[in-house]
Amino acid sequence: MPGMNILVELRLRFHQTLQGLVDDPTDLLDLVVPAQDPRFGDYQANVAMPLAKRLGRPPREVADQIVRNLQVADLCGPPEVAGPGFINLRLRDDWLAEQLQQVSTDQRLGIPAVDDPKTFVLDYSSPNVAKPMHVGHIRSTVIGDSLCRILRFLGHRVISDNHLGDWGTQFGMILYGYKHFRDQQQFAQAPVQELSRLYKLVSQLVEYHQIRRSLPELQEQLAQRIEILDQQQALGPSADAAEQKRAAKRLRGLKNQVVEMRDKVAAAEKKLAAVEESTELNRLAEQHPNIGSAVLEETARLHAGDPENIRLWHAFLPVCREEIQKIYDRLDVRFDYEYGESFYQDRLAEVVDRFRQGGLARISDGAVCVFLDGFQAPMIIQKSDGAYLYATTDLATIDFRMQTFHPDAILYVVDHRQADHFQKLFAAARLVGYDRVDLQHISFGTVLGDDGKPYKTRAGDTVGLEGLLDEAVRRAHAVVAANDDAKPTSPELDDDQRRHIADVVGHAAIKYADLCQNRTSDYKFDYDKMVALEGNTATYMQYSYARTQSIFSKGQIDAEQLRAVDSPLCLQHPTERALGLQVLRLSEAIAEAVLDYRPNILTGYLFDTAKRFSEFYQQCQVLKAESDSLRTSRLRLCDLAGRAIRLGLELLGIQVVEKM
RNA sequence: GCGCCCGUAGCUCAACUGGAUAGAGCAUCGGUCUUCGGAACCGAGGGUUAGGGGUUCGAAUCCCUUCGGGCGUACCA
């Protein structure tokens, strides 16, 4: 067997040993982990302490007993017991060298596929087709794509399905816009831009009228709050300390509310002004006072099968889709299926029927509701006007996926704000019998701007994804050009090469910045940091890879031939050993990343690998090594390091270049 | 009001799900070097992990509580 997961192997050995001490040692095996500190060796087992408690014996004694029975001599030096009962393991250099040799001819770098392949449906990206994609879509797309690549690499069957929003109110908007505001010539020449303009125009007008209706009430509420606040402030301090504290808290809460509402009112007024200051917009707003309900009617007509709206929908969809495809092409993202919301339209009634017939739903306030244990609000699957909701579509989607793909798991890569929705959805799905499929919401945080608020332009609009990518590429180009110009001898890249490199580096920077963050946390969007050449960035990994490649071109060495060399590697220098071990641990990194669907584990691994390589390269001469055999060994190590980095990046959906 | 998430170095973030002295990258300061790619490497300073209490051999991590933030909260997605 070429290669293995070292951690898995060690756990296997511990499993055998621990069976003599306890009935089921499975849960203890998680306590065999990579060492926290190089001083403790390569791996450590923390099993003795909890076990000692269970057995009622001193932990060091238990540790000693484990060490005596442990069969690891073929891969480790003698285990050591330290501290309260930690068992420290250090892999044998000759074993590592042997492993590396085996791995070097293996396409997969010794990473085994899983024994029990499963079927996953991955639901990610899922933009609304009538709206331009914006920064908020990038995380779902990039994280989903990476998980897809990783799971496939591990041998799972993965079905990626882009659940497009192609049936909602946004289509009502462009239908209305097309019918009332279109510029026919523009539409003929550049339909994408024209539809996008219409969408923005209609949504602005709809919002305008909404605000005009709601603003007085909002202002009134604000006035009331201020009044209450004044009253509270006028009250003298209470004699009771506890009461005084509560009053202070109430006061703070009120003040926050007032500030919040003031901001709301100000934002609303600004939006009104934007329309009113433009004679053109003002005129349109006056001519279309009922645009809000009219848009809903267009949507309803579409859903009811109105021939004209259906015809337009069929005409618009490919146009919108094409716009989105440009982004996917740039990001190198593909899907197996794109069953959008529209696909499920004629399956919604039966979903509701099933719930009603099963006695799982009942009518409340005219709407069909599913009341679920542990939730205050029900999940509404049909509105009082008869319309269906996204909850209905999502349930129909689960039906379809279960019947079509028979998945073991369905993963939804969607931002954290929809956590509630998914909890209800999953609970409802279990109610109708889908209790064996693993339904998971892979949630992620918000992309923030410099100010710590959701990333917007200065004008307050969301940032279009295409412009974002352009900017990253532009900056990457500037950096690549500057660096090439500064090379000690002379620049070595022509314009085409520079453009290609900037393209790869720029897109990689965006993806990596997203993936290297723990997905559950929000993160600040910062071009400078993304395209930075140092630190944990795609650029640094790509640079490290390019360095490994440049050694081969400089030495005019054929890597293929090198891989076939039939002798173990030399790991005498500490940096050689550290790099070699690091290469062998890609398998662990992938396994851990997939455990909780966290690509940032993989980026962390790559960063470590790049650092190990730098250290090695700094301290060990490769082409000028003392002997031929050492030179060959080090070249092989460079090859392995480069391949580990390239493979890791590939699993993140990031490409490499040979020179940069 | 209720529910969920979060608070870690000046800044941006990790921390293998309870392990040993909490780590990186920026930034700051110092060093290496007649560059196999210096887009590098080595080192230093910087912390009461928001505060308090608890659980246990052991807590950033689990429980309670206070403070501060974000998000969601019956017919949008």
Side-chain angles (χ1 to χ4, degrees):
Chain A
M1 175 180 85
M4 61 169 75
N5 183 321
I6 300 171
L7 189 55
V8 169
E9 182 62 27
L10 286 173
R11 285 179 176 168
L12 210 63
R13 307 293 177 98
F14 270 90
H15 188 89
Q16 287 159 0
T17 303
L18 293 173
Q19 266 174 332
L21 284 163
V22 66
D23 285 345
D24 183 15
T26 315
D27 56 324
L28 289 168
L29 296 177
D30 289 342
L31 299 173
V32 180
V33 294
Q36 301 280 330
D37 189 308
R39 286 183 298 123
F40 304 142
D42 300 320
Y43 293 84
Q44 63 182 64
N46 309 328
V47 295
M49 286 81 80
L51 195 55
K53 172 160 274 185
R54 243 192 262 181
L55 301 173
R57 292 166 47 195
R60 282 200 67 114
E61 189 185 307
V62 173
D64 284 336
Q65 186 183 346
I66 293 170
V67 164
R68 272 199 305 279
N69 296 332
L70 194 61
Q71 308 277 325
V72 289
D74 52 330
L75 59 157
C76 295
E80 286 172 18
V81 177
F86 295 104
I87 298 167
N88 293 332
L89 302 164
R90 187 180 157 85
L91 296 164
R92 286 166 45 163
D93 292 357
D94 58 341
W95 185 82
L96 284 174
E98 175 72 24
Q99 291 296 310
L100 285 166
Q101 184 198 351
Q102 288 182 21
V103 157
S104 79
T105 50
D106 182 20
Q107 283 289 334
R108 295 174 58 91
L109 279 178
I111 300 158
V114 293
D115 303 327
D116 55 339
K118 299 208 162 104
T119 299
F120 287 86
V121 171
L122 250 68
D123 184 322
Y124 59 97
S125 196
S126 311
N128 281 320
V129 291
K131 296 185 194 173
M133 278 176 96
H134 59 84
V135 63
H137 293 111
I138 197 162
R139 291 199 91 174
S140 174
T141 308
V142 167
I143 293 171
D145 178 56
S146 173
L147 294 177
C148 192
R149 289 168 189 263
I150 295 171
L151 289 168
R152 280 204 179 119
F153 181 74
L154 287 176
H156 295 292
R157 172 177 175 235
V158 181
I159 292 126
S160 61
D161 182 12
N162 192 8
H163 192 69
L164 293 172
D166 60 359
W167 201 241
T169 316
Q170 74 277 13
F171 263 101
M173 297 226 186
I174 54 176
L175 283 167
Y176 189 91
Y178 180 83
K179 290 178 182 179
H180 296 90
F181 307 129
R182 81 169 177 277
D183 178 331
Q184 187 57 45
Q185 202 188 341
Q186 269 299 314
F187 183 72
Q189 275 172 9
V192 175
Q193 282 89 330
E194 178 61 4
L195 286 182
S196 167
R197 181 187 74 85
L198 291 171
Y199 172 79
K200 281 184 205 147
L201 175 62
V202 174
S203 57
Q204 189 179 15
L205 294 176
V206 169
E207 199 177 19
Y208 171 80
H209 285 293
Q210 265 169 8
I211 290 173
R212 273 193 60 174
R213 270 196 308 279
S214 63
L215 188 59
E217 195 186 335
L218 206 62
Q219 284 165 329
E220 169 121 353
Q221 280 173 4
L222 177 60
Q224 276 175 9
R225 290 287 155 186
I226 291 173
E227 198 175 320
I228 297 171
L229 181 63
D230 287 344
Q231 283 169 7
Q232 279 284 334
Q233 276 171 330
L235 291 174
S238 166
D240 181 30
E243 174 55 33
Q244 197 170 339
K245 207 173 160 190
R246 275 197 294 274
K249 192 178 173 182
R250 260 203 307 278
L251 209 59
R252 261 202 313 278
L254 277 167
K255 276 182 183 159
N256 284 341
Q257 279 179 15
V258 167
V259 169
E260 204 174 291
M261 290 180 74
R262 272 210 180 106
D263 288 350
K264 237 185 192 168
V265 168
E269 282 168 344
K270 204 169 148 195
K271 280 181 175 162
L272 286 190
V275 171
E276 278 158 6
E277 279 163 14
S278 152
T279 45
E280 173 66 7
L281 285 175
N282 209 13
R283 186 176 62 80
L284 293 177
E286 274 174 30
Q287 285 171 356
H288 299 265
N290 299 316
I291 188 165
S293 48
V295 162
L296 292 180
E297 280 163 29
E298 292 293 357
T299 313
R301 268 202 285 280
L302 174 68
H303 290 182
D306 174 79
E308 172 67 357
N309 279 9
I310 293 279
R311 184 184 70 78
L312 288 173
W313 182 80
H314 279 295
F316 294 158
L317 196 61
V319 173
C320 299
R321 188 58 195 73
E322 186 189 318
E323 179 70 359
I324 291 171
Q325 188 56 42
K326 284 202 297 202
I327 302 273
Y328 290 146
D329 286 345
R330 293 181 66 166
L331 291 177
D332 192 21
V333 171
R334 271 172 276 279
F335 298 91
D336 299 320
Y337 298 100
E338 287 198 341
Y339 296 111
E341 290 174 339
S342 60
F343 177 78
Y344 301 97
Q345 51 157 321
D346 55 4
R347 299 162 182 261
L348 302 178
E350 44 187 281
V351 168
V352 176
D353 281 351
R354 184 131 63 100
F355 273 88
R356 296 191 67 174
Q357 278 164 18
L360 304 167
R362 61 182 162 85
I363 299 197
S364 169
D365 288 348
V368 181
C369 297
V370 182
F371 287 88
L372 299 156
D373 289 341
F375 296 93
Q376 40 177 5
M379 184 169 77
I380 298 177
I381 55 174
Q382 188 171 18
K383 303 204 297 189
S384 48
D385 65 3
Y388 302 106
L389 298 102
Y390 74 129
T392 331
T393 313
D394 282 355
L395 284 166
T397 306
I398 292 177
D399 277 336
F400 175 76
R401 286 173 176 168
M402 291 307 292
Q403 283 151 24
T404 312
F405 305 117
H406 310 286
D408 299 293
I410 305 177
L411 311 183
Y412 297 82
V413 188
V414 180
D415 78 277
H416 71 281
R417 285 172 300 197
Q418 297 198 36
D420 247 31
H421 164 66
F422 282 110
Q423 279 184 23
K424 285 183 185 171
L425 178 69
F426 299 162
R430 282 192 290 271
L431 273 186
V432 286
Y434 297 125
D435 47 6
R436 299 192 57 187
V437 60
D438 182 19
L439 299 168
Q440 285 214 45
H441 176 203
I442 311 300
S443 78
F444 55 82
T446 310
V447 181
L448 307 174
D450 225 10
D451 53 2
K453 294 191 184 133
Y455 191 60
K456 298 269 170 71
T457 62
R458 245 172 282 146
D461 298 320
T462 52
V463 178
L465 198 40
E466 191 154 30
L468 208 76
L469 298 178
D470 288 342
E471 179 65 9
V473 170
R474 193 186 66 74
R475 290 182 188 230
H477 190 271
V479 170
V480 167
N483 179 63
D484 193 39
D485 288 340
K487 276 181 182 153
T489 47
S490 63
E492 53 186 36
L493 302 171
D494 62 37
D495 281 354
D496 277 353
Q497 286 175 310
R498 287 184 181 193
R499 260 197 299 279
H500 174 248
I501 293 164
D503 200 60
V504 173
V505 170
H507 288 96
I510 298 255
K511 286 187 170 189
Y512 195 93
D514 211 315
L515 294 167
C516 76
Q517 221 78 243
N518 186 329
R519 64 173 166 76
T520 56
S521 46
D522 295 348
Y523 82 94
K524 283 198 181 161
F525 192 88
D526 182 344
Y527 282 116
D528 291 330
K529 217 155 63 173
M530 287 187 315
V531 198
L533 311 159
E534 58 248 331
N536 191 3
T537 63
T539 318
Y540 180 64
M541 302 323 139
Q542 290 168 321
Y543 166 66
S544 299
Y545 175 77
R547 280 173 103 186
T548 66
Q549 296 317 101
S550 88
I551 296 165
F552 287 89
S553 61
K554 179 151 286 181
Q556 295 186 309
I557 289 146
D558 178 13
E560 279 298 335
Q561 277 182 4
L562 200 68
R563 286 169 202 163
V565 173
D566 189 23
S567 68
L569 278 77
C570 169
L571 300 177
Q572 274 178 356
H573 196 277
T575 61
E576 289 177 312
R577 185 187 188 277
L579 179 58
L581 173 57
Q582 182 68 14
V583 167
L584 291 174
R585 295 178 66 177
L586 176 53
S587 169
E588 287 173 25
I590 293 172
E592 200 195 329
V594 92
L595 198 66
D596 208 12
Y597 308 109
R598 289 178 8 180
N600 71 310
I601 300 292
L602 197 46
T603 64
Y605 167 84
L606 288 173
F607 188 36
D608 284 342
T609 309
K611 277 195 289 197
R612 291 296 103 75
F613 173 71
S614 267
E615 286 156 14
F616 155 76
Y617 193 60
Q618 188 77 18
Q619 295 191 41
C620 295
Q621 295 285 319
V622 178
L623 290 173
K624 299 180 195 163
E626 299 93 272
S627 69
D628 270 0
S629 67
L630 192 58
R631 181 174 184 265
T632 303
S633 170
R634 287 181 175 169
L635 279 165
R636 290 168 77 193
L637 209 44
C638 291
D639 175 56
L640 286 166
R643 287 163 66 196
I645 293 172
R646 189 179 59 202
L647 176 55
L649 287 174
E650 202 174 291
L651 295 177
L652 298 171
I654 291 172
Q655 297 171 355
V656 292
V657 287
E658 304 301 300
K659 279 195 281 191
M660 61 190 281

